[in-house]
Amino acid sequence: GENVEQHPSTLSVQEGDSAVIKCTYSDSASNYFPWYKQELGKGPQLIIDIRSNVGEKKDQRIAVTLNKTAKHFSLHITETQPEDSAVYFCAARVRDSGGYQKVTFGIGTKLQVIP
Amino acid sequence: DTGVSQNPRHKITKRGQNVTFRCDPISEHNRLYWYRQTLGQGPEFLTYFQNEAQLEKSRLLSDRFSAERPKGSFSTLEIQRTEQGDSAMYLCASSLNRDYEQYFGPGTRLTVT
């Protein structure tokens, strides 16, 4: 099955600096890569996603890159703000043998933005 | 608010008791998913429904767990004879269809004492 590895597990940055979170996946059939932000006591919130036919996607201060050859994808947050502090999860979706589009999550990165 | 809702938000129960959680997906979403999340981990898939049909179950879903979505709208997840290892956050998500993004609810935090 799919295996998603995520690092770092914790990340502290100064407000205004950039933050980068990296993930790798194992199944070359994975075709969709969402990123979720989870605040304490809340469910994960989709913040950006990328499909396998695209190499980069940007939404204001957030960008995601995908390298299909290397099976790497990354989240980039620029001009970080204290409200960006949360746990971020990467995920990969692959259609399994039964036709189900299974989503596998990484372990999460706890981002702390220091004012 | 038209997002995914879950009830209750917190549940404390004694070992051996049965518990039931409810999930109300976004109204036009056909797919509904249940996940379990333990501290410091990402969500782990449990099961999913396409309308009222349960199409896939993870091996994490032991025979003490049962999920239903009787009318293709809300879903319930029941855990019988709870064990301390069942303590976790149970998350529900829904999507418009299989190729669309999943939107999560706030979760139900279960504590088994």
Side-chain angles (χ1 to χ4, degrees), chain B residues 40-111:
Chain B
Q41 301 293 319
E44 294 176 291
F45 167 76
L46 293 178
T47 188
Y48 90 101
F49 293 84
Q50 171 78 27
N51 298 314
E52 66 274 12
Q54 187 174 18
L55 298 185
E56 178 92 6
K57 292 196 293 185
S58 162
R59 59 182 178 273
L60 293 175
L61 213 66
S62 75
D63 55 7
R64 296 184 298 106
F65 289 71
S66 63
E68 294 182 343
R69 193 182 184 198
K71 297 181 180 180
S73 56
F74 73 92
S75 175
T76 58
L77 178 67
E78 180 182 16
I79 309 175
Q80 297 181 326
R81 306 181 301 281
T82 52
E83 302 173 355
Q84 287 187 322
D86 297 331
S87 295
M89 174 81 87
Y90 290 85
L91 293 163
C92 175
S94 70
S95 67
L96 185 60
N97 216 323
R98 69 179 187 183
D99 290 328
Y100 289 79
E101 54 272 21
Q102 296 181 20
Y103 293 91
F104 282 83
T108 294
R109 179 165 296 284
L110 172 66
T111 302

Side-chain angles (χ1 to χ4, degrees), chain A residues 8-24:
Chain A
S9 56
T10 60
L11 179 60
S12 291
V13 299
Q14 292 290 329
E15 182 178 359
D17 288 349
S18 295
V20 180
I21 301 170
K22 297 182 178 182
C23 290
T24 62

